[in-house]
Amino acid sequence: MKRRDLVRHLEHNGCQLLRQGGAHSVFVNRVAQKATTVPRHREINEYLARRICKDLEVPPP
């Protein structure tokens, strides 16, 4: 999965970018009070994308 597609999916489901580091971006779901990191690679493994969505309590892409 492309990183930009995952980021777009997270933002569509109410998540916000909290901060960016060198290798990861931190996204937060303020409604569920959950946060997780998203790697800054062009391609993200499907399993990892589902895990990020599960951590933020949003539906999988």
Side-chain angles (χ1 to χ4, degrees):
M1 162 174 261
K2 299 278 186 196
R3 181 182 189 276
R4 67 176 173 247
D5 294 335
L6 177 61
V7 169
R8 199 173 296 140
H9 173 75
L10 294 176
E11 289 174 345
H12 179 73
N13 285 291
C15 298
Q16 298 173 336
L17 176 65
L18 183 63
R19 63 183 172 86
Q20 290 189 358
H24 291 84
S25 301
V26 178
F27 278 83
V28 63
N29 183 349
R30 296 193 190 277
V31 175
Q33 296 182 351
K34 301 286 182 175
T36 193
T37 58
V38 177
R40 296 182 70 187
H41 306 291
R42 289 180 187 231
E43 288 287 330
I44 295 177
N45 186 331
E46 291 292 329
Y47 172 78
L48 181 58
R50 287 194 309 267
R51 184 66 192 183
I52 289 169
C53 291
K54 183 178 178 182
D55 288 346
L56 290 172
E57 296 183 359
V58 297

